[in-house]
Amino acid sequence: MCRRHPLTKWGLLLGALLTPAAVTGQEPAGKIVVLNTARSVDRYRLTEEEFRRQMGGQTIIDVNLEESDLDAAGLNDLIAREHPDLVYSIGSQAFHLAGAAAGGAPQLFSSVINWQRFPQRAGVYGIANELSLSQELSLLRYLLPKAVRVGVLFDPKFNRERIAEAKAYSKDVGLTLVEKSIDNPVNDEVDDALLELLPQIDILWLVSDPGILTDRDRVEGIFQAADEAGKPVYAYSEVFIGFGASLVAAPDIPTIGRQAATLAQSLLRKEEPAAAVQFPAGSNIILDACHLAKLNTEYNPDALDSVNRLLECH
């Protein structure tokens, strides 16, 4: 059964049964509160759709926060009234709200940018928003073996822990991470840091950072500066191919939904997962060979079996 929370502005929809999918009749029945930060965002919507497809037979209490005035007190009331077996948060806003609420139900999350920056709590499980650093950096080393000096801009409020970890991983795979931390990333500071960084590096690594990637103009400015400096950009989402990224390593969004469902089923069975937070199991790797050629950056032709999409000049 799928119910939308009564605080949703478009009203209350009760009694819609989910279609059974991958869940068998042996799976335990449960009640799950799903908090979606914004269903209008494709990756959040697709993740939830795949999660629900896999969770047939479960009762889903569905809250779309962009259409709801639900706050921590309201979520506490909802939890006290419904006694869910699990609270699943999609996106950082939803995860933050779930963390502010009380209640003893296990919590599950996905699509949370750098989840390590949030307070660590018992009974919280999730699927990381990013591929593992070892996977990201090893892939870069394998596909672009001559791009050894890797530059990254980051806001420490969002990525301090991830970049510190990346620095250690970089040494292990023979890369040198050249990082620029920007505490107050207004346009002038970002532009100045980027102009200082670009001459020192072989490739710019774009990480998921809402402090740096504030809007479309900022993103376009970063790609324009990198292109003018003749430096390729390594990004975390295929949307950046349209801006001029040369290499993308992105999690596969439907796979995240399926992983979340598998983890949810384990929690409903009262099984303790081997790892509280899992990295995405699927990935999409895109290499723009045409753009790399324009930048005089060589790629490893023997590594193309790792690439899902190869973009060539026509």
Side-chain angles (χ1 to χ4, degrees), residues 84-95:
D85 300 288
L86 182 69
V87 177
Y88 175 33
S89 305
I90 302 173
S92 298
Q93 180 185 344
F95 185 50

Side-chain angles (χ1 to χ4, degrees), residues 296-312:
N296 295 315
T297 300
E298 297 179 12
Y299 64 87
N300 176 11
D302 295 330
L304 292 182
D305 56 350
S306 302
V307 174
N308 299 95
R309 269 174 65 199
L310 178 65
L311 305 180
E312 300 179 282

Side-chain angles (χ1 to χ4, degrees), residues 133-148:
L133 285 169
S134 59
Q135 183 178 358
E136 281 192 76
L137 295 171
S138 296
L139 183 73
L140 172 60
R141 189 77 173 97
Y142 184 44
L143 282 167
L144 304 179
K146 294 187 178 180
V148 295

Side-chain angles (χ1 to χ4, degrees), residues 112-118 130 158-162:
V112 174
I113 296 172
N114 193 8
W115 58 271
Q116 297 98 326
R117 65 191 168 95
F118 289 89
E130 303 88 4
F158 297 100
N159 272 304
R160 185 189 305 275
E161 300 87 355
R162 183 167 172 80

Side-chain angles (χ1 to χ4, degrees), residues 262-276:
T262 299
L263 190 50
Q265 291 159 5
S266 295
L267 294 171
L268 291 175
R269 290 192 297 266
K270 309 298 183 184
E271 297 173 355
E272 185 67 22

